[in-house]
Every structure is written in C-alpha cells, then in structure tokens.
Amino acid sequence: MIKSKFNKIFKNNFYFIFLSLLIVLTIFLTNIYSTNKQNQIESVNDVVENIYFKKSLNLVFNNLNPRYSYFRFKINKGESFEKILNKLNLSEDEKKFIIKNLSKFKFINKLYQGQTIHFKLDNSKPAKLIELKFEQSKTKYLVFNRLDNLNKFEFKELNKSLQKRQVYRESIITKSLYASAIDVGIQPNIIVEFARIYGFQIDFQRDIWKNDSFQIVYETFLDSNNNILETGNILYANLILQGKEHGLYIFKTKDGFEHFDKSGKSVRKSLMKTPINGARLSSSFGMRKHPILGFNKMHKGTDFAAPEGTPIMASGDGKVVRARWCGGGGNCIKINHNSTYSTVYAHLKNFARGIKEGVKVRQGQIIGYVGSTGMSTGPHLHYEVIINGKKVNSQTLKLPSGKILKGKERKVFEIEKIKLEVLKSELISS
C-alpha cells in the first residue's frame, strides 16, 4: 500500500523531481569546475611571477621589435630641420653629429612648407640615423646614406625614370576657362600657364563668352603606374572666341621656348594684360566713390574680384622691390620690370613661396594669392601699372608687339608648326 502510494507520488511529480536533481547536479559540477579553474589560475600566476620566466619573456619580446623604423614628416610653416630632428628618439650626441655633417648643404636650412622628409633609423642601441631622404620635387630626391664603417654620410641625387606622353584636351567654356579645363582633367598648373600665354592678348573678363571653346596639347610625365607626376610644355593651344581661332605654337628660339601665332609672331610682350585667371573686373581705373571712405577719389588701378586664394602672376620679368604690409593696400608686392615699367599687386592674402624683396621673378610666375587685407570690402586684386613714375590704365595700355620670325627661323617654324598640327590630329583620332 505504501509502495503503491509512493509510486503514485513519484509518478505525479516525476518532472519536478527530475528538474530538482538536474539543478543540484549542475550546481555540484559548477563548483568543481570553479575550484579547478581557480587552481589553474593560481598555477599560471605562479609561473608568470617567476623571475626567470619574466626575463625570458622580455628577451623574446625585445627580439621581436624591428631593428629599423621609418618616419615621414611634412614640413609645416616655420619648421626647421633641427625642429623635425628633435621629434625623433635620438640622443643629443647623434643629433649634433647629424647637424654637423649635413649643415654644409644649403638646402638643409631652406626647407619649404609642404616639403617631405623621410628618416630611416637603426634601433640598435644607441639608435642612429642611417638614411635621410629629402623630396625636392615629384621626380627628384636628395638622399644621405650612412656608411657602415665610417662615421659620415654619402650624398646622392635620385631621379625617377618617367615616361613622356602628349595629351590632347578640348572643351566648351560654359562657366569659366578654369572650371571647364578642370572638368576635362587638365592639371591646374597647365591652366595657369595657358592663361599666362594668352594673358598678353586676351582679357579673360571681357573677351571670353559663354560657349566659346579651347583646344590644348601639352606634355605629361608618368611613373611606372601611369600616374602623372609632372607636366611639361604646352605644345599647342587654341582659343576659339566668337568663332575666331587664336592658335599658338611652341617654338624654341635662342632665348628659349616661346609661343607664336600662325604667322610667326610671338605673343610675348613686356607685360601681361591680365595677371590673374578667372577674375571679374570689379572696379576700373578712374574716379569713383571709395567703398570704405565714402567720398569720390581717383582709383589709380584696376580691381579684379576673385575667390580668396586665386593665384596671382607677375605680369612681366623683373625684380621684387616691395613685398610687405602696405597700410591700406594690405599685403602688397611691387615689381620693377625695367627703367620704365613697374607693377603693383595689393590686398594679397599671402605671398608665394620664395617671394621677398630683392628676388627676381619671371613673367607668369605665381607671386601671391588673392585676399582681402588692408582697406578692402572683399577678396580681390588691386593691380597697378606705373610708367616712368606715373600710374596708368592697364586695360587701355598699348604695349610693344612681340618678335616676328624671319628668314631661316621662319622656315624652321613652319615645319614645326606642321608637325604640331599632325600631332594634334593623331591625338584626336586616338
């Protein structure tokens, strides 16, 4: 009877009893596992804390550190070579040794903003510099290698091997020459050079209309991955304005490369008509109400409105006689071109690298960038032309024509012109 009653209770509570036993078993096994795990942890800690194990571990990790380390720095404004050197984990004796051996090279003390320097260090104690590489351009490196058995550096120049390729581009001008050229993949420095070439005869504000067009053939230099590292000469250019073509061909004379029209007449003049590309003539030469002072005053220059940072070119060869703050003119530059002509560029944001009083500049060279410094209501270039000490209207100034090829030179030019036309046709067809 009791057994039957027990069986009945067991049968009715089977699942509850089974679950209870399962929980008890789980708790028991968990305790066993925790105890074993704690014992394992204590054993591992004993091993880790062992002084001999620590020494062995440190030795292994020290040997895993790479012997050589590499660093790359891009020069910021005002940084010197010594300041960059101080960022490296080198001893004072090593730094003094480097400066002593390299200071005789003038370019060490003439680093420019954006220049890249590469260091290779040997981490063997004490750490020392074994290779130093200065990137002078996209194609040229100046390299110092430390000689193994001698405490000195070996200097050499490295030039990348590049492939020259001619490129043809054309486009319709819908907004501005610059924007249209960028849209078809022309490099900015080529656009600046294109503007410089035509700057003698074309007013980019008034002469270029919407839906005018251009053609250009220029040189590029590619690396082994077909990346364009440098650009070369503009071989052919053509501005088609209101249906009229203005074709120009490059030709080498005794004075260097120049661009000539189809009649063999050079486009080069003593001064460019417009020293800035893509600008809007915002205020012409003459009497006007001064935008800040509020009264009528003679405006002895020409203002070109353009976005801040737009490059400004020297309108002619000459010498910089002023590159400083000029009061109401803000940051300004004055160039003496010869005993007759001078030009002034005012309200600049800043000067181009290397531009200072006393340096010589060439026509079309970038000397500064559009800003709004001094007495200015917005970013623009104030441009003046001075003849024998008198300020004149640059937009109505008649400048002497460029040279005209004659005789044997003219015959050679005609042959070169045909070659360039053939090259253009081949590039278009390909």
Side-chain angles (χ1 to χ4, degrees), residues 261-275:
D261 65 16
K262 63 181 180 179
S263 301
K265 184 178 179 180
S266 174
V267 295
R268 181 181 172 91
K269 297 180 181 178
S270 56
L271 294 177
M272 294 171 63
K273 196 170 185 179
T274 309

Side-chain angles (χ1 to χ4, degrees), residues 218-229:
Y218 63 96
E219 298 170 325
T220 60
F221 296 91
L222 288 72
D223 63 13
S224 57
N225 296 318
N226 286 327
N227 297 315
I228 296 176
L229 294 187

Side-chain angles (χ1 to χ4, degrees), residues 76-331:
N76 296 317
K77 188 175 182 179
E79 278 190 321
S80 64
F81 176 68
E82 190 171 351
K83 188 174 181 180
I84 294 293
L85 204 58
N86 285 331
K87 295 180 180 181
L88 300 173
N89 187 24
L90 295 171
S91 67
E92 291 301 317
D93 287 341
E94 177 68 7
K95 292 174 186 175
K96 289 177 182 177
F97 165 77
I98 295 168
I99 292 172
K100 180 182 177 181
N101 279 266
L102 272 58
S103 59
K104 61 184 178 182
F105 295 90
K106 292 183 179 180
F107 64 84
I108 294 291
N109 299 315
K110 292 184 179 180
L111 303 180
Y112 55 86
Q113 186 176 353
Q115 185 177 12
T116 303
I117 306 178
H118 302 261
F119 294 87
K120 181 180 178 181
L121 303 186
D122 184 343
N123 294 316
S124 302
K125 292 184 179 181
K128 60 182 180 180
L129 175 68
I130 59 172
E131 184 180 86
L132 177 61
K133 185 162 63 174
F134 292 84
E135 192 174 86
Q136 288 295 90
S137 69
K138 291 179 180 178
T139 60
K140 182 179 179 181
Y141 289 98
L142 304 178
V143 182
F144 294 91
N145 285 301
R146 195 170 195 151
L147 300 178
D148 289 335
N149 300 321
L150 297 173
N151 216 14
K152 67 177 184 178
F153 289 96
E154 180 184 55
F155 171 72
K156 60 184 176 181
E157 292 186 8
L158 290 181
N159 293 291
K160 292 184 180 178
S161 179
L162 301 178
Q163 175 189 359
K164 184 166 74 172
R165 184 179 297 173
Q166 289 85 21
V167 175
Y168 173 81
R169 294 285 185 268
E170 65 176 28
S171 181
I172 295 174
I173 302 171
T174 54
K175 295 179 182 179
S176 69
L177 172 67
Y178 187 89
S180 299
I182 287 291
D183 287 344
V184 293
I186 299 176
Q187 287 69 30
N189 58 315
I190 289 293
I191 303 171
V192 171
E193 177 65 5
F194 187 90
R196 183 195 71 80
I197 294 169
Y198 281 103
F200 302 105
Q201 58 185 10
I202 301 297
D203 183 334
F204 288 96
Q205 168 61 27
R206 299 179 181 180
D207 296 340
I208 297 181
W209 295 5
K210 187 177 180 180
N211 294 326
D212 283 341
S213 60
F214 68 87
Q215 302 171 323
I216 183 172
V217 176
Y218 63 96
E219 298 170 325
T220 60
F221 296 91
L222 288 72
D223 63 13
S224 57
N225 296 318
N226 286 327
N227 297 315
I228 296 176
L229 294 187
E230 290 285 348
T231 56
N233 291 319
I234 293 177
L235 306 177
Y236 169 82
N238 188 17
L239 261 178
I240 305 166
L241 308 178
Q242 297 88 61
K244 183 179 179 181
E245 296 195 7
H246 299 267
L248 299 176
Y249 306 83
I250 197 168
F251 183 67
K252 188 175 183 180
T253 68
K254 62 180 181 180
D255 299 320
F257 285 104
E258 289 187 48
H259 289 84
F260 295 81
D261 65 16
K262 63 181 180 179
S263 301
K265 184 178 179 180
S266 174
V267 295
R268 181 181 172 91
K269 297 180 181 178
S270 56
L271 294 177
M272 294 171 63
K273 196 170 185 179
T274 309
I276 187 172
N277 175 34
R280 172 178 59 85
L281 182 63
S282 56
S283 184
S284 57
F285 187 94
M287 289 295 297
R288 67 166 187 176
K289 185 177 181 180
H290 196 281
I292 294 179
L293 300 177
F295 55 80
N296 289 338
K297 185 180 179 182
M298 185 68 180
H299 185 230
K300 296 183 179 181
T302 305
D303 288 352
F304 297 96
E308 186 176 282
T310 301
I312 298 166
M313 297 174 281
S315 63
D317 296 346
K319 182 179 181 180
V320 176
V321 294
R322 183 188 303 156
R324 58 179 182 269
W325 185 263
C326 301
N331 293 322

Side-chain angles (χ1 to χ4, degrees), residues 313-370:
M313 297 174 281
S315 63
D317 296 346
K319 182 179 181 180
V320 176
V321 294
R322 183 188 303 156
R324 58 179 182 269
W325 185 263
C326 301
N331 293 322
C332 78
I333 293 173
K334 182 178 181 181
I335 301 173
N336 283 350
H337 301 286
N338 51 35
S339 58
T340 303
Y341 293 98
S342 298
T343 51
V344 173
Y345 315 76
H347 304 303
L348 277 62
K349 178 183 180 181
N350 50 16
F351 306 139
R353 180 169 60 87
I355 297 300
K356 58 184 178 181
E357 294 176 12
V359 303
K360 292 182 178 180
V361 293
R362 66 184 187 278
Q363 195 170 54
Q365 179 180 339
I366 294 175
I367 57 173
Y369 303 91
V370 169

